[in-house]
Amino acid sequence: MAEKNFLRENWPYVLLLVLALILPFVITNRYAFQIVIMGCLFSICTLSLNLILGYTGQASLAHAAFFGIGSYGVAILTKSGLSFWLALPLSALLAALVGFLIGLPTLRTRGSYFAIATLCFGVIVSIVAGNWIDLTGGHNGIVGISLPNPLSIPWVGTIGFQTMTAQYYLVLGFLLFTLLIMHRLVYSLQGLSFMAIRNNEVLAESVGIDTFGGKILSFVVGNFFAGMAGGIYASLVGSISPSTASIELTFNWLVYLLLGGAATLAGPIVGAFAIPVLMENLQFLEGYRMVIFGVLLIAVIIYFPRGIMGAISDLRQRVRAS
């Protein structure tokens, strides 16, 4: 009975999970499949940015910097002989630690000051990546990064990651893990504290919420997942450069978040898939596609300020009311 109620209430999510699991058997085009894998990876980045900006209201513009720290961490550690499965959590923890150290002074500021401070930090990371030649390879970056080591699972055998199908399931697994952690976090008392900070920090502080502690926690957790995504990216792509930590990536994820729907768990994933697919299908328009993209962004912000998921939610409520 409990299983029937669960399926009745959550059938759209179960259907999406089944579709995600059979997707490699549906898509045969390698280029399209590569876009799907990158969509899963960038969904993790957008979900982690959503925790900081969408739920806690802190406009971090250094998200790609933490993505870059994770990618350089995995590249350097794996090339020195460490297993990917150890290098990945260590690199993600390094991104979280740097986030903690950066957050200590910057999160004491409010409003645009935090955005400017994180923007400056992102630029600094990009410059360091391009000039610390002995460690990062300078502007040439690091090439020849190995794929994740084969994974031995009891009763299943050894799983390698040479094929795109295996890489897809690897990234999908990390995306589901990120979704699970985000769901547990935002639907907890701590999640309510995040939203109270976002809505009115002064009022939240007056009722006893540790606003600074909440902002630090959100920033550190978000940067951990950004670093984790960066590490997976480095291992799958095989080469990285200072562009891995560029501000353009942060703005891309910001657009995915705003168009998909901030402060929702589905919105970042919808944005991370819909926008790249739309841009790929408008390739024939060449330079004009950026104009269409800009017009679309303005229209969504004016008429659907809660993004695509907000518009769907409003439509659903109208249908129920009619």
Side-chain angles (χ1 to χ4, degrees):
M1 190 64 183
E3 289 81 2
K4 285 184 179 178
N5 289 334
F6 176 81
L7 289 174
R8 190 182 300 123
E9 293 172 1
N10 299 285
W11 68 266
Y13 303 107
V14 175
L15 179 62
L16 280 174
L17 179 60
V18 171
L19 288 175
L21 291 174
I22 65 172
L23 201 60
F25 305 100
V26 177
I27 298 179
T28 55
N29 184 288
R30 285 181 62 85
Y31 182 63
F33 200 30
Q34 186 67 40
I35 293 175
V36 170
I37 293 174
M38 286 298 116
C40 289
L41 198 57
F42 288 162
S43 293
I44 297 174
C45 302
T46 315
L47 275 166
S48 57
L49 181 60
N50 185 37
L51 181 68
I52 301 169
L53 176 61
Y55 283 101
T56 318
Q58 305 305 305
S60 172
L61 297 180
H63 216 58
F66 297 101
F67 180 84
I69 289 171
S71 63
Y72 273 101
V74 164
I76 294 167
L77 290 174
T78 53
K79 284 188 82 68
S80 65
L82 197 66
S83 165
F84 168 82
W85 301 107
L86 285 175
L88 183 65
L90 287 175
S91 302
L93 286 171
L94 175 64
L97 175 63
V98 174
F100 176 73
L101 296 176
I102 294 298
L104 282 177
T106 57
L107 284 169
R108 295 188 186 280
T109 63
R110 290 180 181 174
S112 58
Y113 295 103
F114 176 70
I116 294 169
T118 51
L119 175 65
C120 293
F121 174 71
V123 173
I124 290 170
V125 169
S126 184
I127 292 173
V128 170
N131 290 277
W132 196 348
I133 298 174
D134 293 340
L135 185 67
T136 66
H139 291 285
N140 292 326
I142 300 175
V143 297
I145 305 166
S146 58
L147 287 167
N149 305 83
L151 196 61
S152 296
I153 301 177
W155 300 294
V156 174
T158 302
I159 300 174
F161 297 97
Q162 288 81 14
T163 66
M164 292 185 70
T165 301
Q167 293 171 12
Y168 166 75
Y169 284 122
L170 172 74
V171 181
L172 180 64
F174 277 106
L175 173 58
L176 293 175
F177 169 67
T178 307
L179 260 177
L180 174 66
I181 299 298
M182 294 295 167
H183 184 273
R184 293 296 299 267
L185 193 54
V186 300
Y187 287 100
S188 65
L189 280 177
Q190 187 59 58
L192 293 176
S193 298
F194 289 158
M195 288 181 268
I197 295 168
R198 176 198 62 194
N199 294 338
N200 192 324
E201 188 174 339
V202 176
L203 182 60
E205 208 164 34
S206 70
V207 296
I209 294 175
D210 179 8
T211 57
F212 181 68
K215 289 191 291 186
I216 280 282
L217 178 64
S218 169
F219 195 56
V220 168
V221 172
N223 291 328
F224 173 87
F225 283 99
M228 184 186 78
I232 301 168
Y233 173 86
S235 189
L236 294 186
V237 174
S239 63
I240 54 171
S241 68
S243 64
T244 312
S246 67
I247 188 68
E248 286 80 6
L249 272 181
T250 297
F251 280 116
N252 281 347
W253 299 330
L254 193 59
V255 170
Y256 298 164
L257 179 59
L258 293 177
L259 290 183
T264 65
L265 290 178
I269 300 173
V270 171
F273 275 95
I275 307 305
V277 169
L278 177 65
M279 296 304 284
E280 286 297 325
N281 283 287
L282 293 178
Q283 286 278 6
F284 68 95
L285 292 175
E286 297 180 351
Y288 292 105
R289 69 192 182 115
M290 295 309 295
V291 177
I292 294 175
F293 182 65
V295 171
L296 177 66
L297 180 61
I298 293 170
V300 168
I301 289 174
I302 293 175
Y303 297 104
F304 307 105
R306 294 168 56 207
I308 295 171
M309 291 310 299
I312 292 174
S313 177
D314 292 342
L315 180 63
R316 190 184 300 163
Q317 287 179 0
R318 287 180 188 175
V319 170
R320 285 178 180 171
S322 61

